[in-house]
Amino acid sequence: MPLRPSSMYSLVRMPSRAIYRRVVVSQQLTSFTYERTYRTTAFRRNLSEDESAMLQEPREEDEADVVIVGGGPAGLAAAIRLKQLELERGKQVRVVLLEKASDMGNHTLSGAVIEPKALKELLPDWLEDPPTTLTPVKSNKMRFLTEKYSIPLPEPPQMHNSGNYIVSLSEVVKWLAAKAEELGVEVYPGFSVNELLFDQSGAVAGIATNDMGISRAGAPKDNFQRGMEFRAKVTLLAEGCHGSLTKGVIKKYDLRRGKDVQTYGIGLKEVWEVPEENWREGEVLHTMGWPLTSKVYGGGFMYHFGERLVSVGLVVGLDYANPWISPFREFQRMKHHPIYSNVLKNGTCVSYGARALNEGGLQSVPKLIFPGGALIGCSAGFVNVPKIKGTHTAMKSGMLAAESAYNAITSDTTNESAIALYDYEDNFKKSWIFEELNEVRNVRPSFHNPLGMYGGILYSGLDTLLLKGRVPWTFHHKASDAASTQPADKFKPIDYPKPDGKLSFDLLTSVARTGTMHNEDEPVHLQVKDWDAHTTSSYPKYQGVESRFCPAGVYEYIPDETKKEGVRFQINSQNCIHCKTCDIKVPAQDINWVCPEGGDGPKYMLT
């Protein structure tokens, strides 16, 4: 963690390393706080003058050519490509990558079957030293489920997995991070970033890491340490789906003008160790139908990989209308279908996790660049929904941005204005990412029809098999996922079966398997301006929807006779697994997810 400076040269302590850096003092940088940064007033207290002064102390400053926020596949691919260009062309660039997880890969969650197209472009010899738990896909199945039966379905071409690999994406990220460090990228896990720095023109000029050691009441503790500023010529946001900085720049620079709203799904996943007789190496299964109704978009998956390991999960589109739906409990119910239970029986669940994912497609991709930086990977939303893949497109976007950034930084021009990566936007439109997303642009929004899932299956089958996107029309997403939520009195409460402790589990048992950890005496990172006002506006109409869409038991309404609604809103922030669903789905849009202290959150290993 950065130490408060005592001189112009100070020791900056990073995880597992100590680096001397020169402190660069600037009078020109300004900071900007985005809208929807609510304080948790329920826990704030008045600070003393000394405490306020500590929170306003000057931060250490450092310089880099490129700062990358987020250490997933996109951010690491960008970092690696920048250093490759340095080796090819001879002009050095300093690349700093900051990741909020305590270790690389700890916040990475995906299915995951990866298409190695971008990986081959980035690291042509990658199979000579591959990541662990790499399993080639050997067979594919797709089924439509009723409660007891499964019906074979033809697979659309996008779901063919010949040449693809089943992986633990968290292990892939660790592997990519090692490759990046070998090339000279400075990779720093354990550092959260909630603040961008801006120059006098309003362009992004770098980032500031979060302060450490602040109490729940907002006061500096004995271990308080001020954050650190990194000035950068280019800042790449690779935060993943619905990142907190990304939300801010999209709004500040109006990057979604002329674009559709982004829509999302939530993916819930477990990793199981199963008996040898149940395991089929390299098998990929996708399902549609039960337990979801025809009005809810989504589907299940099961991948056999590693040594007797099985990834099983469910993706639920967050545009569902019924606030009684619990994606977590739908997932637990799904595992009792014979097609899943016959594999999982007598096995052991070893890991659980959940994460929001982008589903909007090409029409929901915002403008990619802003003065001084760009959006890459799932910060922009390049998931190919019919393919159920986004790692390859995320990595390619990082590579394209890196090439544009390197060219701009090393050019011989003397223009001192903020860098604009126009080449990145142009090259994206010429790339195979655009081609892929354009071909399937109508698939996900085709499910917005009176027939629901059945109409979507009919159109998407026609589109993926015959039309292949070669049509003069584009379907659009007309409402956000939050706006799609309807009042609870329009639906009947759902009576979910109790977990049996063998195939299905209760919520807190599952959360324990994420390894998530937050210091209870730190500011609540799930920011609600007024908890009582939230209860008044949300509980009577939606009857506690937050407690059902959250896959980690963060939100609950506790009976309280002193309150007008008879309940008290409670945020158990220490349970949070950083899925971002609350920020996306809450109908009032009054929950603002921001990064907690660096190192907090889940400790995903096999996910």
Side-chain angles (χ1 to χ4, degrees), residues 56-294:
Q56 298 301 319
E57 286 181 354
R59 293 180 287 212
E60 287 191 357
E61 298 179 14
D62 204 349
E63 290 183 328
D65 293 299
V66 180
V67 167
I68 301 170
V69 181
L76 287 164
I80 290 170
R81 185 65 189 131
L82 282 161
K83 283 298 185 177
Q84 287 176 336
L85 290 167
E86 175 186 281
L87 290 173
E88 293 169 12
R89 303 184 190 178
K91 290 188 177 182
Q92 292 187 345
V93 289
R94 184 185 177 199
V95 182
V96 171
L97 184 146
L98 301 165
E99 165 58 39
K100 64 183 174 69
S102 59
D103 198 4
M104 302 304 292
N106 279 6
H107 288 180
T108 302
L109 183 86
S110 184
V113 176
I114 64 167
E115 181 177 319
K117 189 173 185 177
L119 200 49
K120 290 177 181 178
E121 292 181 15
L122 182 66
L123 300 167
D125 299 327
W126 73 283
L127 281 176
E128 295 180 6
D129 176 29
T132 57
T133 62
L134 183 76
T135 303
V137 175
K138 294 183 177 180
S139 63
N140 293 274
K141 293 193 295 185
M142 190 170 183
R143 299 289 187 266
F144 183 87
L145 303 186
T146 64
E147 187 170 354
K148 295 182 179 180
Y149 301 103
S150 63
I151 303 166
L153 290 176
E155 291 181 329
Q158 291 79 10
M159 295 185 71
H160 294 172
N161 282 299
S162 177
N164 296 338
Y165 297 87
I166 309 170
V167 299
S168 160
L169 196 60
S170 61
E171 291 296 322
V172 172
V173 165
K174 292 180 191 295
W175 176 80
L176 284 171
K179 298 292 184 186
E181 288 191 302
E182 288 172 8
L183 290 168
V185 178
E186 298 175 43
V187 178
Y188 298 134
F191 286 87
S192 294
V193 180
N194 276 330
E195 185 179 354
L196 292 174
L197 304 176
F198 295 80
D199 65 19
Q200 291 178 332
S201 72
V204 172
I207 62 90
T209 64
N210 287 10
D211 293 343
M212 303 285 283
I214 297 178
S215 73
R216 191 174 179 90
K221 298 187 290 187
D222 290 342
N223 64 339
F224 172 74
Q225 291 180 337
R226 198 79 163 93
M228 183 173 183
E229 296 182 1
F230 277 99
R231 297 180 62 188
K233 296 172 184 175
V234 172
T235 302
L236 298 180
L237 299 185
E239 301 174 286
C241 174
H242 206 66
S244 50
L245 296 179
T246 301
K247 289 185 299 180
V249 297
I250 286 176
K251 186 166 187 176
K252 177 177 174 64
Y253 297 110
D254 198 16
L255 301 184
R256 202 167 285 289
R257 182 172 55 185
K259 308 288 186 176
D260 284 10
V261 297
Q262 183 61 266
T263 64
Y264 302 88
I266 180 172
L268 306 103
K269 173 186 175 179
E270 293 171 350
V271 178
W272 285 64
E273 188 175 359
V274 301
E276 185 74 35
E277 60 270 22
N278 297 354
W279 185 66
R280 296 181 289 273
E281 182 179 8
E283 181 178 282
V284 169
L285 167 73
H286 292 108
T287 65
M288 299 184 71
W290 190 88
L292 304 179
T293 71
S294 63

Side-chain angles (χ1 to χ4, degrees), residues 2 8 38 89 200-201 215 286 288 345 371 378-379 384 393 432 440 512 516 601:
M8 289 298 292
Y38 306 134
R89 303 184 190 178
Q200 291 178 332
S201 72
S215 73
H286 292 108
M288 299 184 71
K345 64 182 179 182
C378 287
S379 284
N384 185 324
T393 51
W432 52 257
V440 299
T516 195

Side-chain angles (χ1 to χ4, degrees), residues 390-401:
T391 302
H392 65 304
T393 51
M395 290 182 67
K396 180 62 175 178
S397 71
M399 294 156 63
L400 292 174

